[in-house]
């Protein structure tokens, strides 16, 4: 093999190495772009998770507030109901007295 042939062979091998290096660089660049996109998606998912957690916290607070207000309303209604029952008892007692008085008056009128 002559020096010229050896030189051509070395140049061919260098060209092959050059092509392999270019291919490796292109692959690395593509991989880096994919990693960047993946990082962006992970950040977006983390932000979405934070927003979801904030919404869940707010919903929990609203549910707690609703339960508190509902319990307060039930307590108020129970108080109103107790008063109405007491008024009903008072009214019933008054009606019984009026009924007895009317009976008495009717008997008195019948006896005259």
């Amino acid at each position: 093999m002559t020096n010229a042939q050896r030189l051509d062979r070395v140049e061919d091998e260098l060209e092959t190495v050059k092509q392999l290096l270019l291919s490796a660089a292109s692959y690395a660049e593509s991989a880096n772009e994919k990693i960047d996109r993946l990082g962006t998606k992970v950040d977006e998912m983390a932000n979405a998770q934070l927003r979801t957690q904030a919404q869940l916290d707010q919903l929990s607070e609203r549910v707690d507030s609703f339960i508190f207000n509902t319990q307060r309303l039930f307590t108020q209604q129970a108080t109103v109901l107790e008063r109405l029952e007491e008024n009903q008892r008072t009214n019933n007692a008054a009606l019984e007295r009026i009924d007895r008085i009317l009976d008495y008056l009717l008997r008195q009128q019948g006896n005259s």
Side-chain angles (χ1 to χ4, degrees):
M1 183 179 281
T2 65
N3 282 341
Q5 289 174 328
R6 285 186 188 145
L7 184 58
D8 286 342
R9 186 174 178 191
V10 169
E11 285 178 351
D12 288 344
E13 289 176 358
L14 284 175
E15 185 61 32
T16 301
V17 169
K18 179 181 169 185
Q19 291 300 322
L20 288 172
L21 287 173
L22 286 172
S23 177
S26 175
Y27 178 79
E29 185 177 337
S30 175
N32 283 337
E33 288 173 1
K34 287 179 182 178
I35 288 172
D36 288 344
R37 285 196 304 269
L38 181 61
T40 300
K41 287 182 181 181
V42 167
D43 290 343
E44 289 171 356
M45 289 176 66
N47 289 335
Q49 185 177 9
L50 289 174
R51 284 191 305 273
T52 301
Q53 186 61 50
Q55 290 170 342
L56 286 172
D57 292 345
Q58 185 181 28
L59 179 61
S60 176
E61 291 170 7
R62 291 176 66 190
V63 167
D64 289 345
S65 176
F66 174 78
I67 290 170
F68 174 79
N69 287 325
T70 302
Q71 287 173 335
R72 185 177 53 79
L73 289 173
F74 276 125
T75 300
Q76 287 176 347
Q77 291 303 313
T79 301
V80 168
L81 184 60
E82 287 174 11
R83 289 176 188 161
L84 289 174
E85 288 172 347
E86 180 61 32
N87 286 343
Q88 184 66 39
R89 284 191 293 272
T90 302
N91 289 340
N92 286 343
L95 287 173
E96 286 177 19
R97 275 182 259 146
I98 290 170
D99 192 40
R100 284 194 306 269
I101 291 170
L102 287 173
D103 281 345
Y104 173 77
L105 290 174
L106 286 173
R107 277 186 302 209
Q108 289 296 323
Q109 188 178 21
N111 288 337
S112 330

